[in-house]
Structures are given as C-alpha cells and as structure tokens.
C-alpha cells in the first residue's frame, strides 16, 4: 500500500507539472509582438519548446507507465476520474502546443525582417545618442570645471538616472543583436561614463555622508556633547580612512579638496571640543577665552550647541584654548585638594583621656595631629606657589592661616597641659601647698580655668574649631 501510494504521488505530480508547463507556455506563445523586447521574449519561449520537444516522450512515457502499473494491480483503487481525464488529454495537449509553436514561428518569420531593420536603425541612433550623452557629460556633468560640490551632487543624480536608462536600452539592443545573430555593437562611451560615475558616486557619497554627519553633530546640545564625543571621534576617523582610500585621480577634484578641508576642520575641532567640554572648564575660563579671542559664545544658554562652536573662529585660537583648558585642569586639581583639606579637617577630632581619677579631660595621642597639621600646611603652601592658583589664592591662604593658627595654638596648649599636669599633684595636696599658700591659691584659680577649658574642648572635639576658639586661646 505504501509503495503504490508513493508511485501514485509521483505520477500525479509529474502529470500536473507537465500540464502546467503546457498551459503556461501556451499563454506565453499568445503574447502579442509589439516591439523588440516582446519579439525576443516569444522567440525565447519558442526555443524552449523546441528543446523540450526532443525529450518530451521521455517525460510522458514514465507517467503512462506508472498509471498502467497502478491500473493493473489496483484497478479502480487510487486514481479518480478527474485524474484519468487529465492523463488522457496529456498527449493531445502537447501536440496542440507544438502546433501552436509552429504557427507562431511562421508568423514571426514574416515580421522578423521588419524588426531586424528597425533594430539596425535603432542601434545606429543609439550610438549617436551615447556619443552626445558623453559630450554633454564632459561639458555639463558633475566633473565640469567650476562646478561647486553642492551643484555637482545634484548633477550626479541626474546623470546617473540618464545613464541607467541608456544602459537598459544598450542591454536590450545587445540582446536583439544576439537574437538576429548580428555582430554585437560596442559602446565605449557608456563604459567610460559608467566608470567615472562610479568614481564620482564614491566621492560624493562620502561628501554627502560627511555633510549629513556634520549637520547632525552641529545640532547636538552642549550638555549632550560629553556623551557623544567618542561616537563623533570614531565617525570622523572612519570618514578620514574612506577619504584616504580614494583613487588618486579623485584627489584632484574640487569636491575632494572641499571634503578634505571639512574633515580636517572637524578633526581639529574635536580635541578642542573635548577640552572645553571637561567639567574643569568654568564660566571664568570661557570669559578668559572671549577676552583673548575677541568673540563670544552662548555657553551659559540652554540652547548652546555645537553649531555655535563650528561657526566661531575658535580654531584660530587653538593654542589659547589648549592653554586655558590646561589651566582649568590645574585649577580643578587645586580646588579638589583644597576641598579635600577642608573636608578632612572638618572631621578631624582630638582624643581625650582622664587625669588621675579626676573628672578632668586631657589631650591624648596628639602627635599624629601635629604631623598631619605640618603636612597639610606644606600642601597649602605648595598650592599657593602654583601658577594657576589665582582664583583660589584667597581660600587657600585662609585654609593655610587656619592650619597655621591651629598648629600654634596646639603647641601652646600642649605646653600648658604639661605644666598643669606637673603642678597639679604639687598644689592640689600635700605639704608643699601648705608651705606656699599664696602660690597654691593662684594655682587653684588656674586649675578651675583649665578644667573648664578642657571640658568645653571635649564637647567640641573638632581640632580646628577647638583651636579657633578665642576664649581657649586667651585662657591659654
């Protein structure tokens, strides 16, 4: 059963395929011949029918054999009436198609001479048209002397379209010549024009890509520039590589020079844009640039965009921009170190302990604080000696003064504490206090002031705040 079913499917598919071919070919042969294209089309169909005629019996016979096998072993089983009808009309349908092909061939034989003569005349006119087109291309095409790149782009589009139309005609005429076994005509003007159009298309394609890229980049808002810098740089490098790969003969064209200039300006601008877009560049740096260059930019406006940079003479002041931006980086470093110093000393605190069982706090572990103060003062002095400290000279000097005053106060404080700890055990008990009552009375007052001072310092704890307290300094 499986074998017979497979045989049936093979026979049915082959039958339907051949009938479909006969039907579609018959439709093609009924195509009305109105020009050279339709003539060539019908003649191609005729050629296909002639080639198939020699092998058609090798396709029909296996179909009939398979149906005969099925009818012998499975009479009235798998094959329905419609399928049997199709089988019965297969050979008559083919003979009918072959007769039609003969009739069409006879008709074509009568009109071929007319089309052949017309082809020869058309080819002659087309050659002249190609020559005229070439002359017009040389005089008025995109490569004509004095043609601006913008105008050349429009001309290139027009001449490309006209060239495409003529190339389709050329292919049709060549096919017609092959159809009538004529010598194939040559069209050197078309080949030369196609080659030049290809080169120009390569050049102006890059030119348009660069213009489009510049237009997109110019509309970028300044606040979005840092996020697009790498993309713009990569794009410019790709354009530059494409430009360098251009054939040498294109480098003599004005469009190439204009393209090269645009790319060079863009690549020169990118480092300056990168520098100016750094967080270190503040309004004062823009103003300094404007003061030196004699131009302005709306850097403080929300609508500030790259177009403003592109249209400015900023490239003329490249060295000044680089110097100002370098100074901005240095100033940012100064500001960062100043802020770090302020932040550090706003949280640095003293460590306090208790003196011999009395409820009196005293300074402990102050050696590290003394070392840190000396280092911090040296850092501030280094900042003050830097060339670009200008905008931060006053706050750096204030920080240095605060650190210096703190160091002096702490030095005095430590001396007083050492004296107090040495005298406290002498005058706060024992025979010496009785023998020196006047001095003991004076020390008692000093002791009260010192204990009060240390209690207040313990509450404050922060080094700079403690040492900046006027009461503490006066008491010490």
């Amino acid at each position: 059963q499986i074998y017979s079913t497979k045989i049936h499917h093979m026979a049915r598919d082959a039958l339907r395929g051949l009938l479909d071919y006969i039907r579609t070919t018959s439709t093609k042969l009924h195509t009305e011949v109105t020009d050279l294209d339709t003539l060539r089309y019908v003649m191609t169909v005729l050629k296909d029918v002639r080639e198939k005629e020699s092998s058609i019996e090798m396709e029909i016979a296996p179909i009939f054999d398979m149906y005969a096998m099925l009818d012998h072993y499975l009479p009235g089983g798998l094959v329905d009436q419609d399928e049997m009808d199709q089988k019965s009309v297969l050979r008559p349908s083919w003979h009918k198609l072959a007769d039609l092909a003969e009739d069409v061939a006879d008709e074509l034989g009568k009109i071929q001479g007319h089309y052949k003569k017309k082809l020869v005349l058309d080819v002659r006119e087309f050659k002249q048209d190609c020559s005229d087109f070439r002359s017009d291309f040389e005089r008025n095409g995109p490569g004509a002397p004095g043609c601006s790149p913008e105008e050349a782009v429009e001309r290139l589009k027009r001449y490309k379209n006209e060239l495409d139309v003529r190339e389709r005609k050329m292919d049709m005429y060549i096919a017609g010549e092959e159809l009538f076994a004529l010598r194939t005509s040559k069209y050197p003007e078309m080949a030369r024009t196609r080659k030049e159009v290809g080169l120009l298309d390569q050049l102006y394609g890059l030119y348009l890509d660069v213009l489009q890229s510049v237009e997109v980049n110019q509309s970028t808002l300044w606040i979005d520039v840092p996020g697009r810098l790498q993309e713009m740089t990569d794009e410019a490098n790709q354009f530059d590589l494409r430009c360098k790969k251009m054939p040498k003969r294109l480098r003599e064209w004005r469009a190439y020079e204009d393209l090269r200039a645009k790319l060079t300006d863009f690549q020169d601008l990118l480092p300056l844009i990168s520098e100016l877009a750094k967080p270190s560049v503040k309004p004062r740096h823009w103003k300094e640039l404007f003061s030196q260059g004699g131009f302005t930019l709306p850097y403080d406006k929300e609508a500030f965009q790259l177009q403003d940079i592109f249209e400015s003479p900023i490239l003329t002041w490249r060295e000044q921009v680089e110097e100002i931006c370098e100074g901005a980086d240095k100033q940012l470093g100064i500001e960062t170190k100043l802020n770090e110093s302020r932040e550090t000393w706003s949280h640095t605190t003293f460590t306090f302990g208790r003196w011999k069982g009395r409820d009196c706090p005293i300074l402990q572990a102050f050696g590290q604080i003394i070392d840190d103060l000396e280092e911090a003062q040296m850092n501030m002095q280094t900042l003050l000696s830097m060339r670009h400290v200008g905008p931060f000279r006053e706050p750096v000097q204030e920080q240095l003064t605060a650190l210096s005053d703190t160091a002096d106060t702490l030095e005095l404080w430590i001396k007083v504490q050492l004296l107090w700890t040495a005298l406290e055990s002498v005058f706060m008990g024992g025979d010496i206090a009785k023998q020196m009552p006047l001095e003991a009375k004076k020390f008692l007052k000093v002791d009260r002031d010192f204990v009060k001072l240390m209690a207040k310092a313990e509450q404050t704890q922060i080094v700079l705040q403690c040492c900046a307290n006027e009461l503490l300094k006066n008491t010490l």
Side-chain angles (χ1 to χ4, degrees):
Q1 184 68 28
I2 295 175
Y3 178 74
S4 60
T5 301
K6 187 173 181 180
I7 291 293
H8 175 230
H9 288 169
M10 290 172 62
R12 185 183 59 193
D13 292 345
L15 173 64
R16 290 177 179 175
L18 195 52
L19 287 173
D20 285 343
Y21 170 78
I22 294 171
R23 184 167 49 254
T24 56
T25 304
S26 178
T27 302
K28 291 176 182 178
L29 288 175
H30 281 94
T31 301
E32 184 180 0
V33 177
T34 57
D35 54 25
L36 191 61
D37 265 349
T38 52
L39 174 63
R40 181 163 56 88
Y41 174 75
V42 173
M43 291 189 71
T44 302
V45 176
L46 285 174
K47 181 182 178 183
D48 181 61
V49 172
R50 292 192 187 101
E51 290 176 351
K52 199 170 189 68
E53 194 171 13
S54 62
S55 61
I56 189 64
E57 195 57 37
M58 296 176 64
E59 295 185 40
I60 294 177
I63 295 175
F64 278 84
D65 290 344
M66 286 186 282
Y67 276 111
M69 184 188 303
L70 292 172
D71 187 55
H72 178 75
Y73 291 103
L74 298 169
L78 295 175
V79 183
D80 58 26
Q81 187 59 43
D82 288 343
E83 197 171 337
M84 293 300 296
D85 292 341
Q86 290 177 350
K87 182 185 72 127
S88 64
V89 300
L90 178 59
R91 273 200 173 91
S93 296
W94 170 254
H95 292 314
K96 187 177 179 180
L97 176 64
D99 293 340
L100 176 62
E102 288 294 330
D103 294 340
V104 171
D106 292 341
E107 288 296 323
L108 291 184
K110 297 175 183 178
I111 62 174
Q112 275 184 4
H114 166 72
Y115 282 103
K116 184 176 181 181
K117 290 178 181 178
K118 188 175 184 304
L119 173 64
V120 172
L121 291 175
D122 289 344
V123 168
R124 188 180 304 157
E125 292 178 1
F126 182 65
K127 285 183 176 180
Q128 183 60 47
D129 179 66
C130 290
S131 178
D132 295 340
F133 176 71
R134 176 64 192 180
S135 299
D136 183 55
F137 180 79
E138 291 175 349
R139 288 194 309 270
N140 305 311
C147 181
S148 66
E150 291 78 10
E151 185 180 358
V153 170
E154 297 302 320
R155 292 188 185 185
L156 180 62
K157 290 180 182 177
R158 177 164 60 86
Y159 279 96
K160 274 182 68 178
N161 291 334
E162 293 183 13
L163 182 62
D164 289 341
V165 171
R166 283 170 173 80
E167 284 183 332
R168 284 194 292 271
K169 282 187 177 182
M170 181 181 70
D171 293 339
M172 181 182 69
Y173 292 146
I174 290 174
E177 289 172 331
E178 292 175 350
L179 180 65
F180 293 116
L182 298 175
R183 180 179 296 175
T184 304
S185 300
K186 304 296 182 184
Y187 302 93
E189 298 92 347
M190 297 291 288
R192 192 158 61 248
T193 304
R194 170 52 68 186
K195 183 177 181 180
E196 291 181 10
V197 165
L199 290 173
L200 290 170
D201 197 33
Q202 183 182 355
L203 173 60
Y204 287 109
L206 176 56
Y207 184 85
L208 289 176
D209 288 345
V210 171
L211 286 184
Q212 184 179 8
S213 173
V214 169
E215 184 178 350
V216 171
N217 291 332
Q218 284 183 342
S219 63
T220 302
L221 292 175
W222 186 252
I223 57 174
D224 298 328
V225 167
R228 292 203 63 239
L229 265 175
Q230 188 59 49
E231 177 187 348
M232 288 190 291
T233 301
D234 293 343
E235 195 174 44
N237 292 337
Q238 290 176 1
F239 288 149
D240 183 60
L241 185 61
R242 286 173 61 185
C243 193
K244 289 178 178 177
K245 288 183 177 180
M246 289 282 179
K248 289 184 178 180
R249 58 181 298 186
L250 287 180
R251 299 181 186 183
E252 301 173 359
W253 292 64
R254 178 181 168 186
Y256 180 86
E257 295 175 358
D258 192 46
L259 173 64
R260 184 72 264 174
K262 287 182 182 295
L263 276 176
T264 301
D265 287 347
F266 187 42
Q267 288 181 308
D268 289 344
L269 267 177
L270 279 175
L272 301 186
I273 293 171
S274 176
E275 290 294 320
L276 289 169
K278 287 181 178 178
S280 59
V281 177
K282 308 296 182 184
R284 64 177 179 272
H285 302 115
W286 286 104
K287 292 175 182 177
E288 183 181 354
L289 175 60
F290 302 154
S291 175
Q292 294 186 26
F295 65 92
T296 59
L297 289 168
Y299 70 92
D300 55 345
K301 306 296 183 184
E302 289 186 5
F304 181 39
Q305 55 187 8
L306 276 184
Q307 184 175 359
D308 299 311
I309 296 287
F310 276 77
E311 294 175 353
S312 72
I314 201 166
L315 272 177
T316 310
W317 303 92
R318 181 187 308 177
E319 293 182 3
Q320 287 79 0
V321 172
E322 293 173 348
E323 183 178 350
I324 289 172
C325 291
E326 181 184 359
D329 291 339
K330 298 285 181 62
Q331 288 174 0
L332 180 62
I334 293 172
E335 184 179 14
T336 301
K337 290 179 180 178
L338 174 61
N339 290 336
E340 288 175 353
S341 178
R342 286 171 169 172
E343 177 68 17
T344 298
W345 289 102
S346 67
H347 294 93
T348 303
T349 57
F350 284 121
T351 301
F352 292 89
R354 289 291 179 272
W355 174 251
K356 291 186 178 179
R358 290 187 60 184
D359 189 21
C360 176
I362 59 170
L363 292 175
Q364 289 184 339
F366 44 75
Q368 185 60 50
I369 292 178
I370 293 173
D371 293 340
D372 292 344
L373 278 170
E374 290 179 356
E375 183 180 353
Q377 290 178 79
M378 289 179 61
N379 291 337
M380 291 301 103
Q381 288 170 353
T382 301
L383 295 182
L384 283 173
S385 66
M386 294 178 68
R387 172 188 170 194
H388 300 284
V389 74
F392 302 99
R393 183 175 297 279
E394 186 174 341
V396 171
Q397 184 62 59
E398 289 176 357
Q399 181 71 358
L400 177 58
T401 301
L403 293 171
S404 178
D405 290 348
T406 299
D408 293 342
T409 302
L410 181 57
E411 183 181 359
L412 178 59
W413 192 349
I414 293 170
K415 289 180 180 179
V416 171
Q417 178 173 290
L418 288 174
L419 289 171
W420 180 84
T421 54
L423 295 173
E424 191 271 346
S425 58
V426 174
F427 287 107
M428 295 306 290
D431 296 336
I432 297 179
K434 295 177 181 179
Q435 295 174 7
M436 304 175 67
L438 190 59
E439 286 77 4
K441 186 177 181 182
K442 288 181 180 180
F443 180 78
L444 187 60
K445 181 178 181 306
V446 170
D447 181 74
R448 285 197 301 270
D449 291 342
F450 184 77
V451 172
K452 188 185 296 183
L453 178 149
M454 295 303 293
K456 180 67 175 177
E458 187 180 32
Q459 291 178 358
T460 306
Q461 286 195 333
I462 297 175
V463 173
L464 288 188
Q465 290 184 17
C466 287
C467 293
N469 187 290
E470 289 297 326
L471 177 61
L472 181 139
K473 291 194 284 187
N474 292 334
T475 303
L476 290 174

